[in-house]
Protein backbone atom coordinates (compact mmCIF):
# COMPACT_ATOMS: atom_id res chain seq x y z
CA UNK A 1 0.00 0.00 0.00
CA UNK A 2 1.21 3.49 -0.78
CA UNK A 3 2.56 5.21 2.31
CA UNK A 4 0.71 8.39 3.14
CA UNK A 5 3.05 11.34 3.67
CA UNK A 6 2.15 14.16 5.98
CA UNK A 7 3.07 17.36 4.21
CA UNK A 8 4.93 18.55 7.27
CA UNK A 9 8.61 18.78 8.16
CA UNK A 10 10.54 20.50 10.91
CA UNK A 11 12.94 23.22 9.80
CA UNK A 12 15.90 24.28 11.92
CA UNK A 13 18.09 27.26 11.12
CA UNK A 14 21.53 27.34 12.74
CA UNK A 15 22.88 30.88 12.68
CA UNK A 16 25.80 32.77 14.22
CA UNK A 17 23.58 34.26 16.94
CA UNK A 18 20.53 32.01 17.24
CA UNK A 19 19.27 28.52 16.51
CA UNK A 20 15.62 28.60 15.46
CA UNK A 21 13.09 25.97 14.54
CA UNK A 22 9.46 25.43 13.61
CA UNK A 23 7.29 22.79 11.95
CA UNK A 24 6.33 23.86 8.43
CA UNK A 25 3.24 23.01 6.41
CA UNK A 26 4.71 22.34 2.97
CA UNK A 27 1.55 23.08 1.07
CA UNK A 28 1.59 26.67 2.20
CA UNK A 29 5.14 27.26 3.46
CA UNK A 30 3.70 28.50 6.77
CA UNK A 31 4.79 27.55 10.28
CA UNK A 32 2.22 25.31 11.98
CA UNK A 33 3.43 26.36 15.45
CA UNK A 34 5.32 29.33 16.88
CA UNK A 35 9.04 29.37 16.21
CA UNK A 36 11.39 28.39 19.06
CA UNK A 37 14.74 30.23 19.35
CA UNK A 38 17.77 29.46 21.52
CA UNK A 39 20.90 31.68 21.38
CA UNK A 40 23.85 29.94 19.69
CA UNK A 41 26.37 29.02 22.42
CA UNK A 42 29.69 30.76 21.69
CA UNK A 43 32.44 28.69 20.11
CA UNK A 44 30.40 25.59 20.86
CA UNK A 45 31.50 22.13 19.76
CA UNK A 46 29.42 20.30 17.14
CA UNK A 47 28.04 18.08 19.91
CA UNK A 48 26.85 21.09 21.96
CA UNK A 49 25.13 22.56 18.89
CA UNK A 50 23.52 19.18 18.16
CA UNK A 51 22.17 19.13 21.74
CA UNK A 52 20.58 22.55 21.24
CA UNK A 53 19.03 21.32 17.99
CA UNK A 54 17.66 18.29 19.86
CA UNK A 55 16.19 20.55 22.53
CA UNK A 56 14.35 22.52 19.85
CA UNK A 57 13.14 19.37 18.07
CA UNK A 58 11.91 17.88 21.37
CA UNK A 59 10.02 21.04 22.22
CA UNK A 60 7.53 20.14 19.44
CA UNK A 61 5.35 17.13 19.88
CA UNK A 62 5.77 15.59 16.42
CA UNK A 63 5.50 11.96 15.25
CA UNK A 64 8.86 10.16 14.87
CA UNK A 65 8.69 10.01 11.10
CA UNK A 66 8.46 13.77 10.58
CA UNK A 67 11.78 14.64 8.89
CA UNK A 68 14.07 17.43 10.04
CA UNK A 69 15.83 19.84 7.69
CA UNK A 70 18.78 21.78 9.04
CA UNK A 71 20.01 24.99 7.48
CA UNK A 72 23.72 25.34 8.30
CA UNK A 73 26.13 28.27 7.76
CA UNK A 74 28.70 26.39 5.67
CA UNK A 75 28.80 24.44 2.43
CA UNK A 76 27.50 20.87 2.78
CA UNK A 77 28.90 18.28 0.38
CA UNK A 78 27.15 14.91 0.60
CA UNK A 79 26.49 15.62 4.28
CA UNK A 80 30.04 16.77 5.11
CA UNK A 81 31.23 20.28 6.12
CA UNK A 82 34.36 20.90 4.01
CA UNK A 83 35.13 24.32 5.54
CA UNK A 84 33.48 26.82 7.87
CA UNK A 85 33.95 30.55 8.42
CA UNK A 86 31.60 31.65 11.20
CA UNK A 87 31.22 28.77 13.70
CA UNK A 88 33.84 26.67 15.49
CA UNK A 89 36.56 25.19 13.24
CA UNK A 90 35.80 21.84 14.89
CA UNK A 91 33.07 21.47 12.27
CA UNK A 92 35.60 21.07 9.45
CA UNK A 93 35.37 17.54 8.06
CA UNK A 94 32.39 16.59 10.26
CA UNK A 95 29.65 14.47 8.71
CA UNK A 96 26.80 16.74 9.79
CA UNK A 97 24.01 14.48 8.48
CA UNK A 98 25.28 11.59 10.63
CA UNK A 99 25.90 13.72 13.72
CA UNK A 100 22.34 15.08 13.73
CA UNK A 101 20.78 11.76 12.77
CA UNK A 102 22.46 10.04 15.74
CA UNK A 103 21.18 12.75 18.08
CA UNK A 104 17.66 13.11 16.70
CA UNK A 105 16.90 9.57 15.50
CA UNK A 106 14.76 10.95 12.68
CA UNK A 107 15.35 11.41 8.96
CA UNK A 108 17.68 14.43 8.67
CA UNK A 109 18.82 16.57 5.74
CA UNK A 110 21.46 19.26 6.24
CA UNK A 111 22.02 22.00 3.68
CA UNK A 112 23.73 25.35 3.34
CA UNK A 113 21.77 28.20 4.96
CA UNK A 114 21.69 30.50 1.92
CA UNK A 115 20.66 27.57 -0.28
CA UNK A 116 17.83 26.84 2.14
CA UNK A 117 16.71 30.48 2.03
CA UNK A 118 16.97 30.58 -1.76
CA UNK A 119 15.02 27.35 -2.12
CA UNK A 120 12.26 28.73 0.10
CA UNK A 121 12.07 31.98 -1.86
CA UNK A 122 11.76 30.03 -5.11
CA UNK A 123 8.94 27.86 -3.81
CA UNK A 124 7.02 30.22 -1.59
CA UNK A 125 8.51 33.70 -1.79
CA UNK A 126 9.93 36.49 -3.91
CA UNK A 127 11.25 34.23 -6.71
CA UNK A 128 8.16 32.02 -6.90
CA UNK A 129 7.48 31.03 -10.49
CA UNK A 130 10.43 33.07 -11.77
CA UNK A 131 11.94 31.29 -14.79
CA UNK A 132 15.02 33.50 -14.84
CA UNK A 133 18.42 33.35 -13.11
CA UNK A 134 18.00 34.56 -9.56
CA UNK A 135 20.87 35.31 -7.21
CA UNK A 136 19.90 35.33 -3.54
CA UNK A 137 22.37 36.98 -1.16
CA UNK A 138 21.86 36.64 2.58
CA UNK A 139 23.36 39.45 4.64
CA UNK A 140 24.15 38.35 8.17
CA UNK A 141 27.27 37.43 10.17
CA UNK A 142 28.63 36.37 6.77
CA UNK A 143 27.31 36.69 3.22
CA UNK A 144 25.61 33.61 1.85
CA UNK A 145 24.56 32.98 -1.74
CA UNK A 146 22.07 30.85 -3.60
CA UNK A 147 22.07 30.68 -7.39
CA UNK A 148 18.79 29.50 -8.86
CA UNK A 149 18.08 29.22 -12.57
CA UNK A 150 14.66 28.25 -13.90
CA UNK A 151 13.79 27.01 -10.42
CA UNK A 152 16.89 24.77 -10.14
CA UNK A 153 19.33 25.46 -7.35
CA UNK A 154 23.09 25.25 -7.96
CA UNK A 155 24.16 24.39 -4.38
CA UNK A 156 27.15 25.63 -2.36
CA UNK A 157 28.07 28.67 -4.44
CA UNK A 158 29.83 30.49 -1.53
CA UNK A 159 29.93 33.93 -3.16
CA UNK A 160 30.54 35.64 0.18
CA UNK A 161 34.12 34.42 -0.12
CA UNK A 162 34.72 35.95 -3.55
CA UNK A 163 37.70 38.29 -3.40
CA UNK A 164 36.65 41.73 -4.63
CA UNK A 165 38.89 43.69 -7.02
CA UNK A 166 40.05 45.75 -3.99
CA UNK A 167 41.58 42.52 -2.57
CA UNK A 168 39.21 41.66 0.29
CA UNK A 169 36.60 38.92 0.64
CA UNK A 170 33.05 40.20 0.08
CA UNK A 171 31.83 39.05 3.52
CA UNK A 172 34.79 40.67 5.32
CA UNK A 173 33.90 43.97 3.65
CA UNK A 174 30.13 44.16 3.40
CA UNK A 175 28.25 41.66 5.58
CA UNK A 176 25.71 43.07 8.02
CA UNK A 177 28.08 41.83 10.76
CA UNK A 178 30.71 44.26 9.40
CA UNK A 179 28.08 47.01 9.07
CA UNK A 180 27.35 46.67 12.80
CA UNK A 181 30.92 46.12 14.01
CA UNK A 182 32.33 49.10 12.12
CA UNK A 183 29.24 51.21 12.91
CA UNK A 184 28.87 52.19 9.24
CA UNK A 185 26.13 54.54 8.08
CA UNK A 186 23.64 53.09 5.57
CA UNK A 187 25.28 55.30 2.89
CA UNK A 188 28.72 53.88 3.67
CA UNK A 189 27.42 50.35 3.73
CA UNK A 190 25.54 50.82 0.45
CA UNK A 191 28.83 51.95 -1.11
CA UNK A 192 30.42 48.67 -0.03
CA UNK A 193 27.46 46.60 -1.19
CA UNK A 194 27.67 48.38 -4.53
CA UNK A 195 31.13 46.85 -5.07
CA UNK A 196 29.82 43.40 -4.19
CA UNK A 197 26.73 43.61 -6.40
CA UNK A 198 28.62 45.11 -9.36
CA UNK A 199 31.25 42.39 -9.21
CA UNK A 200 28.74 39.56 -8.89
CA UNK A 201 26.63 41.05 -11.66
CA UNK A 202 29.66 41.14 -13.95
CA UNK A 203 30.43 37.47 -13.13
CA UNK A 204 26.94 35.91 -13.15
CA UNK A 205 24.52 38.30 -14.96
CA UNK A 206 21.47 37.35 -12.88
CA UNK A 207 18.04 38.64 -13.93
CA UNK A 208 17.07 39.33 -10.35
CA UNK A 209 18.82 39.79 -7.00
CA UNK A 210 17.03 38.90 -3.76
CA UNK A 211 18.51 39.97 -0.46
CA UNK A 212 17.78 38.04 2.72
CA UNK A 213 18.84 38.09 6.36
CA UNK A 214 17.39 40.13 9.22
CA UNK A 215 18.62 43.42 7.74
CA UNK A 216 16.63 42.89 4.52
CA UNK A 217 13.69 44.32 6.52
CA UNK A 218 15.41 47.72 6.31
CA UNK A 219 16.11 47.44 2.57
CA UNK A 220 14.56 50.86 1.87
CA UNK A 221 17.47 52.48 3.71
CA UNK A 222 20.21 51.10 1.43
CA UNK A 223 18.89 49.30 -1.66
CA UNK A 224 17.86 52.56 -3.44
CA UNK A 225 21.49 53.70 -3.09
CA UNK A 226 22.81 50.70 -5.04
CA UNK A 227 22.71 50.72 -8.81
CA UNK A 228 22.57 47.45 -10.79
CA UNK A 229 21.08 46.29 -14.10
CA UNK A 230 19.03 43.57 -12.40
CA UNK A 231 16.51 44.71 -9.79
CA UNK A 232 17.28 44.04 -6.11
CA UNK A 233 14.26 43.01 -4.05
CA UNK A 234 13.95 41.83 -0.43
CA UNK A 235 13.22 38.22 0.44
CA UNK A 236 9.56 37.69 1.24
CA UNK A 237 10.08 35.07 3.90
CA UNK A 238 12.68 37.20 5.68
CA UNK A 239 13.96 35.42 8.78
CA UNK A 240 11.78 32.37 8.21
CA UNK A 241 13.35 31.43 4.87
CA UNK A 242 16.08 29.15 6.28
CA UNK A 243 13.54 27.18 8.32
CA UNK A 244 11.07 26.83 5.45
CA UNK A 245 13.73 25.91 2.84
CA UNK A 246 15.33 23.31 5.12
CA UNK A 247 11.96 21.77 5.94
CA UNK A 248 11.03 21.58 2.26
CA UNK A 249 14.34 19.99 1.27
CA UNK A 250 14.05 17.43 4.11
CA UNK A 251 10.53 16.55 3.07
CA UNK A 252 11.53 16.04 -0.57
CA UNK A 253 14.68 14.04 0.27
CA UNK A 254 12.72 11.83 2.66
CA UNK A 255 10.11 11.13 0.03
CA UNK A 256 12.82 10.28 -2.54
CA UNK A 257 14.55 7.91 -0.06
CA UNK A 258 11.24 6.20 0.68
CA UNK A 259 10.59 5.60 -3.04
CA UNK A 260 14.06 4.06 -3.46
CA UNK A 261 13.69 1.79 -0.41
C1 LIG B 1 29.63 30.59 4.71
C2 LIG B 1 28.47 30.22 3.85
C3 LIG B 1 27.18 30.77 4.47
C4 LIG B 1 27.30 32.25 4.74
C5 LIG B 1 26.10 32.80 5.47
C6 LIG B 1 29.66 32.09 4.89
O1 LIG B 1 30.75 32.44 5.68
O2 LIG B 1 30.85 30.15 4.11
O3 LIG B 1 28.38 28.83 3.71
O4 LIG B 1 26.11 30.52 3.61
O5 LIG B 1 28.46 32.52 5.51
O6 LIG B 1 25.91 32.18 6.69
Amino acid sequence: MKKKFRRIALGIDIGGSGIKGAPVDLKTGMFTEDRVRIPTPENASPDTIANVVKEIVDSFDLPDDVPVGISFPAPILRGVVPMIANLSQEWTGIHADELFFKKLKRPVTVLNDADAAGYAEVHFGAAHGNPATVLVLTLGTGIGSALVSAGTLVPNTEMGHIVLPRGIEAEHFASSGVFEREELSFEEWAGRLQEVFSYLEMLFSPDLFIIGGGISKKYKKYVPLISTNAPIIPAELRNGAGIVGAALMAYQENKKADKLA
Side-chain angles (χ1 to χ4, degrees):
M1 202 176 76
K2 226 171 139 202
K3 188 164 162 186
K4 194 161 181 304
F5 273 92
R6 286 182 198 86
R7 285 189 67 100
I8 268 199
L10 186 59
I12 304 274
D13 185 7
I14 300 180
S17 54
I19 303 180
K20 298 149 269 179
V24 180
D25 177 334
L26 297 162
K27 247 193 236 148
T28 59
M30 308 290 278
F31 295 172
T32 62
E33 290 183 55
D34 284 348
R35 190 188 81 153
V36 169
R37 180 184 191 278
I38 297 181
T40 311
E42 247 172 70
N43 244 319
S45 67
D47 199 58
T48 308
I49 298 273
N51 284 332
V52 175
V53 169
K54 180 164 167 37
E55 196 181 327
I56 295 179
V57 172
D58 290 348
S59 71
F60 299 102
D61 187 19
L62 293 169
D64 290 348
D65 61 346
V66 170
V68 180
I70 299 178
S71 144
F72 192 78
I76 302 288
L77 267 69
R78 288 171 285 282
V80 176
V81 181
M83 63 101 172
I84 186 150
N86 296 315
L87 285 181
S88 157
Q89 288 304 314
E90 278 180 66
W91 282 99
T92 310
I94 291 272
H95 202 302
D97 272 0
E98 274 173 18
L99 171 79
F100 290 114
F101 176 72
K102 275 194 195 135
K103 213 40 106 183
L104 305 175
K105 309 209 166 45
R106 288 171 181 270
V108 176
T109 302
V110 186
L111 75 162
N112 172 259
D113 56 0
D115 284 345
Y119 205 49
E121 290 297 327
V122 164
H123 282 269
F124 299 112
H128 183 66
N130 195 318
T133 299
V134 181
L135 182 49
V136 182
L137 292 181
T138 61
L139 306 171
T141 311
I143 294 182
S145 60
L147 184 63
V148 183
S149 192
T152 303
L153 172 73
V154 180
N156 297 312
T157 47
E158 292 297 319
M159 293 183 203
H161 298 294
I162 274 178
V163 178
L164 299 171
R166 64 162 59 235
I168 182 170
E169 272 187 33
E171 82 170 24
H172 292 162
F173 185 59
S175 68
S176 73
V178 170
F179 165 72
E180 277 159 27
R181 242 186 346 267
E182 296 188 16
E183 297 178 3
L184 300 177
S185 65
F186 277 109
E187 288 73 20
E188 286 168 322
W189 191 41
R192 293 190 181 198
L193 286 171
Q194 178 72 61
E195 291 187 33
V196 175
F197 278 93
S198 295
Y199 197 49
L200 293 178
E201 184 154 61
M202 186 273 287
L203 291 173
F204 298 101
S205 301
D207 300 290
L208 175 68
F209 284 108
I210 295 180
I211 47 165
I215 203 150
S216 63
K217 267 198 278 247
K218 299 192 181 150
Y219 72 97
K220 285 194 180 133
K221 293 196 191 279
Y222 54 94
V223 168
L225 308 176
I226 306 169
S227 134
T228 45
N229 294 322
I232 305 175
I233 61 170
E236 275 175 18
L237 302 162
R238 306 269 159 88
N239 260 344
I243 294 178
V244 173
L248 180 61
M249 191 64 95
Y251 172 77
Q252 291 175 343
E253 290 294 315
N254 192 40
K255 228 170 130 177
K256 241 193 270 166
D258 193 74
K259 263 198 198 133
L260 292 175

